Amino acid sequence: MGTPSLTPRAAIRTVTNQAPPLVGHNVVAADLALTEAVVRHASAEVVDDLVGLGAEAGSAEAREHGRLANEHHPRLTPYDRFGNRVDEVEFHPSWHWLMSRAVGHGLAAAPWEDDSPHAHVRRAAGFMAWSHTEPGHGCPISMTYAAVPALRADDALAKEWTPLLASRTYDPGVRLASSKLGALAGMGMTEKQGGSDVRANVTLARPSDDGTYTLHGHKWFTSAPMNDVFLVLAQADAGVTCFVVPRVLPDGSRNQLDVVRLKDKLGNRSNASSELELDGTVAFRLGDEGRGVRTIIEMVAATRLDCVLGSTSLMRRAVSEASWHAAHRSAFGSLLADKPLMQNVLADLAVETEAATALAVRLAAAVDRRDDPHEAALRRIALPLAKFWVCKRTPAMVAEALECLGGNGYVEESGMPLLYREAPLNSVWEGSGNVNALDVLRALSREPAALDAWITEVGLARGGDPRLDRATEDTLALLGSLLGDPALMEVQARRLAGRMAAVLQGSLLVRFAPAEVADVFCASRLGASYDGTYGALDGGDLRAIVERTTPVA
């Protein structure tokens, strides 16, 4: 027998059957669920206004900056070379590139100073699209957005800070706020011993003769310590109170904000999250003493909305990568996208994303119409429902999308591990699943208008699909059975919140989504036997759903 000929080196190094990187596509234009929701709740002109953002978010340049910002983590410098306490955090230039564009696109607090009727829908859609670049820098952007409604508890403080927070100019650095072209906000609520139980906080607020206070204590989790101003909770004489804490004081001196360390987190590693020590830190009271939770709750509500937006963005980025890979990768004689079982998985992931998108944009529309009693009541109950449900669904969904890429998806360069590490975050921050499920119960027990708003909103789809009608009736029956037993109601809080959220999503899809999307959602999510396994759909126009979801570059 002859010796087999060796494969030429050129042939060995020839790469075939690998999906090209998903770059050069427009993140906004490629997301039909998003653009349709924006047109529905705003206008086509708002979509047109976001096209430039979408193109930049889908560019190779943006993807590379996202990679670099996560590869080069922020670094704390507690002291300068002379021994002066400075507590500065250094970020990679790619972080600043991302932040500059996010602020420039109006994704921070700009909507609060925008008189257009759809400013918050535009901002929500832009936030979801821009977060495809890299999710970590969304944290300071979100807190800046969320600070403004809380600041309105004090006219003077609101007038001082809102124009800077709403600026479209990114101006980093520890300097006097009045000398800057724009500012960013942060939040410090939780402490070592309390976590979400902020009424257990022990940080003390001592009044000063000039009307300010000094804070003495610690904060266990304060993200973005380089921001310009923070909303902080502390114990005053009358109880938990909200305070505004600037990084730099009006006389130009640095406030006493000691950054103890940066957190070594599972994900969100481009963003600096810190522990702070406060000892004589100057603070300005925001709202009445003893009313701190009520004051800061507006900020919490806005950051919860961004948790929903962020999780929805992770879902969309994940399913985009999965469907793109399947459209370009062949196995066993044909494209993965043509395999019936892969279609089942991708369609299931796509429907999950469509439902999250529909609910997220609906919530943003409620912010635009926050003076409408129905919209305010709907936001009160739908926000914790969405925060619980959408954020809780994200980790399993992203894991399934990663698996669609096989071993390629498990490799860091694919970007999927970054999404997977980020996926649990929004279900933890701004109240874990239990906290939000209990907040649903609180809304149901204390604010009858909230349940009325949910019933009214869901009722708009009545008759559109019998499965949705049955699910609505079953959910109301479950609620009725629990109302007379508070102990059992708490035990069943997650079950109830999940059902209410899924029915709300179903109602939006039945009213607005393509028939094939609504059909699959109602057949799967609203059935009593649904166990959450992706890729186990029982029929439906799966190819049409996948084609609708797959990006085109």
Side-chain angles (χ1 to χ4, degrees), residues 100-112:
S100 177
R101 280 148 183 82
V103 173
H105 284 302
L107 306 183
W112 301 109

Side-chain angles (χ1 to χ4, degrees), residues 123-124 145 300-310 360 363-364 367 383:
R123 185 259 173 189
Y145 168 73
V300 173
T303 51
R304 283 181 177 177
L305 172 60
D306 276 11
C307 286
V308 177
L309 301 178
L363 286 169
V367 181
L383 195 50

Side-chain angles (χ1 to χ4, degrees), residues 5 15 138 176 210 276 300 332 354 361 390 442:
S5 60
V15 178
L176 187 65
D210 60 0
L276 299 182
V300 173
F332 308 109
E354 294 245 9
V361 180
V390 173
R442 190 176 299 109

Side-chain angles (χ1 to χ4, degrees), residues 339-349 534-538 542:
K339 303 291 186 184
L341 187 54
M342 180 59 81
Q343 286 182 5
N344 198 317
V345 172
L346 292 173
D348 212 354
L349 298 176
Y534 288 107
L537 300 175
D538 185 15
L542 307 185

